[in-house]
Amino acid sequence: MQEKGTISIHTENIFPIIKKFLYSDNEIFLRELVSNAVDATQKIKRLATLGQYTGELGDTTVEVSFDKDKKTITISDRGLGMTAEEIKKYINQIAFSGATEFVEKFKDAKDANEIIGKFGLGFYSAFMVAHTVEINSLSYQEGSEPAKWTCDGSTSFEISEGNRTERGTDIILHINEESEEFLDKWKLQGILDKYCKFLPVTIKFGTKSESVEDGVDEEGKKKWKSVEVDNIINTTSPIWTKSPSDLKDEDYLSFYKELYPMSEDPLFWIHLNVDYPFNLTGVLYFPKVKNDFDFQKNKIKLYSRQVFITDEVKDIVPEFLMLLHGVIDSPDIPLNVSRSFLQADGNVKKINNYITKKVADKLSELYKKDRKVYEEKWNDIGLFVKYGMISEEKFAEKGKDFVLLKNTKGEFYTLPEYKEKVQGIQTDKNEQTIYLYATDVNKQDGFIQSANKKDYDVLVMDSPIDSHFIQHLEGKEEKTQLKRVDADVAEKLIQKDDAFANLLSEEQSTKVKEIFEKAIDNKSYSVEIEGLNPEELPVTVTMDEFMRRMKDMAATGGGMGFYGSLPDNYKVAINGNHSVIDKILKAESEEEQTKLAKQSFDLALLAQGLLTGKDLTEFVKRSVNMI
Ligand code: ADP
Ligand code: MG
């Protein structure tokens, strides 16, 4: 039996095109060929289970090997094999009815994943690295003859009698000159580790040496010897393929360690498992996030039937969950088409929603199960939750039940709880409830204390995401406003009708203003005289809430760049009702007035942490003199 023929495609020069397009990603030839070997092995196993194959299955390990001298790489399987007829059918008449379309459509493609597979090109990816490919196969079917197929990358092939004596297939690649880098143990090991680590059929790549015990020596010490054992690439049943009820915490933790050897233990995880309306399994882990900018994206690995595809899961996983770690496996994600297609795909949108929902459910469950434990984890998960609520409407809807607010006393409240707590006392004359917050509890301590003195509660909002989260909260919570605790004097943060009247006359007020403007002598500070509680400080320095917030957002990339470029502007509130102000007015000389005004202004700066350097030294000197 010998036959020559032409591969039935419309475009003569398909191989050069494949080669050119796919060059950057050419290592995936191994993924494709090993996957085919695995498919063939699973098929024979299924036939055996169905009773359609009654022979011995034997050792079904798939073997990858290479020969540096002959410049070949071989992938051997003991799968169902192919007859000559089948080779012609499956390999030659590849799904190239659309070859012309293919060439047209992907002329400008940059990414191999965009084309491989979609046009049934899996097997042909071999030609990215080989000038000639041989298939040596023996079908499982009774009475089959071994068949050998050779193709040199042109559109002609040769089929002849083969020499395989065992069921299965060898794919032999004669590596081309530009691809000789693949004729290397570590190179191949690396590619197999990347793509084949969790394939469902055992994959062997040569041997490796291992130390084993070898009796004891004369002194009774253990002896060791080195032996060669099979170098097995993969774990055939990774945990995401198992049922959650069969798994313990240790299993999840050790799988995590296997995926990310350098990482700390995760906080918790979610086992994904759905088969309708799409098929998806996986395990997502919540990592420990040390600080807001510490998280790394692209840590989720995407698999399709246990074959590694990519770690770029953008579009499939919602943006805010890109900080999660773990594995997603779905045969229903159209991996082989371009990004824009991916976004438009109905399944992808559904998968995205499903993952969002699962994560929200898990958080809700953790919250309900043990509030205390949940609160302890809040420092780590707060970021996810807030980020999620800001960026995903659906998640925000669910998140409002388990997002927590923390106050300066370290107490946690849900949104409804907090509203209930502060609504009475922190509602102003316009029926707006004012939530107060601090971004730095140390620096703003004076203001926090003033607020607490009035029985106001102060939240801690000290993470960069908080400036955005505050904005979100104001949009969602009815009749609610957030103000940083130092946005104004405590008296004025929440304006009620029972404000103190300014006891100074208009003339006196003008005079006080003059004295302070002279003492401060800086245009960035605008002086205002107010009627405040005589118990409060005589002078307070604040920054307008709106201005400050815009500046904060500019600093964390919230698109408020313009505000970031403005100089800081402060308001100096003089408490007209304080005895010190009275004292300043009554001081004997103008010089004395300026000194006292300067002193009380510096005290206000000091309380805000704004007094530094030379000004601070001068203040200390002046204070000493005054004692
Ligand atoms: P796909 O795997 O998507 O079907 P491929 O181009 O990778 O496309 O393979 C084409 C066909 O060739 C397979 O569907 C299968 O029928 C056959 N084939 C490829 N490799 C093997 C193998 N090792 N054993 C048996 N059949 C194979
Ligand atoms: Mg394939």
Side-chain angles (χ1 to χ4, degrees), residues 36 40 77 82 90-91 120 122-123 169:
N36 284 351
D77 66 65
M82 286 180 280
Y90 298 131
I91 303 288
F123 173 78
T169 306

Side-chain angles (χ1 to χ4, degrees), residues 198 238 240-241 272 274 279-283 301-307 327-333:
F198 299 111
W240 76 83
T241 62
L272 304 168
V274 60
N279 191 303
L280 180 137
T281 50
V283 178
K301 294 169 195 283
L302 183 63
Y303 287 76
S304 178
R305 295 199 175 88
Q306 296 172 237
V307 185
V327 167
I328 292 175
D329 188 331
S330 176
D332 290 332
I333 297 170

Side-chain angles (χ1 to χ4, degrees), residues 545-591:
E545 173 73 17
F546 173 77
M547 191 56 135
R548 210 217 57 254
R549 212 188 275 184
M550 292 304 133
K551 278 171 146 315
D552 282 355
M553 289 180 59
T556 58
M560 302 283 165
F562 161 72
Y563 289 95
S565 64
L566 290 181
D568 287 346
N569 260 301
Y570 298 95
K571 183 180 128 183
V572 181
I574 312 289
N575 183 357
N577 298 337
H578 200 283
S579 56
V580 164
I581 306 303
D582 192 43
K583 197 171 158 193
I584 291 174
L585 273 174
K586 291 187 180 137
E588 62 227 28
S589 66
E590 207 169 290
E591 196 184 315

Side-chain angles (χ1 to χ4, degrees), residues 15-31:
F15 295 115
I17 291 166
I18 293 175
K19 246 154 111 174
K20 189 175 143 235
F21 284 160
L22 310 186
Y23 195 74
S24 63
D25 253 344
N26 57 0
E27 64 180 29
I28 62 164
F29 77 92
L30 199 54
R31 172 184 86 187

Side-chain angles (χ1 to χ4, degrees), residues 317-477:
V317 174
E319 169 77 19
F320 78 98
L321 292 176
M322 296 283 278
L323 5 148
L324 297 183
H325 294 175
V327 167
I328 292 175
D329 188 331
S330 176
D332 290 332
I333 297 170
L335 308 160
N336 312 307
V337 285
S338 67
R339 279 214 177 287
S340 49
F341 195 93
L342 197 58
Q343 279 167 338
D345 185 85
N347 267 343
V348 169
K349 189 73 210 143
K350 274 185 220 146
I351 288 172
N352 199 304
N353 288 341
Y354 167 77
I355 293 174
T356 304
K357 183 177 173 311
K358 284 302 268 192
V359 170
D361 289 349
K362 178 74 189 186
L363 288 164
S364 167
E365 177 201 313
L366 283 172
Y367 164 74
K368 284 189 193 131
K369 205 171 84 189
D370 193 336
R371 168 108 177 220
K372 195 102 209 81
V373 172
Y374 184 77
E375 285 179 0
E376 277 159 19
K377 287 184 174 158
W378 183 251
N379 276 344
D380 296 291
I381 55 179
L383 175 69
F384 286 110
V385 176
K386 288 173 181 172
Y387 188 18
M389 290 181 72
I390 292 165
S391 54
E392 285 259 335
E393 188 58 36
K394 278 217 174 75
F395 189 79
E397 206 36 51
K398 300 199 164 235
K400 64 180 199 286
D401 295 332
F402 52 75
V403 66
L404 294 181
L405 301 173
K406 186 177 143 186
N407 70 9
T408 53
K409 297 175 183 127
E411 299 161 338
F412 291 94
Y413 297 90
T414 61
L415 295 180
E417 283 167 1
Y418 197 70
K419 180 136 246 180
E420 164 122 22
K421 176 182 168 67
V422 301
Q423 200 159 31
I425 192 153
Q426 287 179 219
T427 299
D428 69 9
K429 59 181 190 233
N430 302 319
E431 312 236 324
Q432 290 281 326
T433 304
I434 313 291
Y435 291 4
L436 301 177
Y437 66 94
T439 50
D440 185 327
V441 283
N442 288 325
K443 272 198 188 156
Q444 292 150 9
D445 183 67
F447 290 92
I448 295 170
Q449 297 218 13
S450 302
N452 287 346
K453 233 193 277 168
K454 296 183 77 74
D455 281 335
Y456 294 163
D457 190 72
V458 182
L459 295 170
V460 181
M461 293 280 187
D462 56 1
S463 125
I465 194 148
D466 281 329
S467 57
H468 302 268
F469 184 63
I470 286 163
Q471 212 77 343
H472 171 86
L473 269 185
E474 283 184 338
K476 294 282 167 190
E477 297 285 293

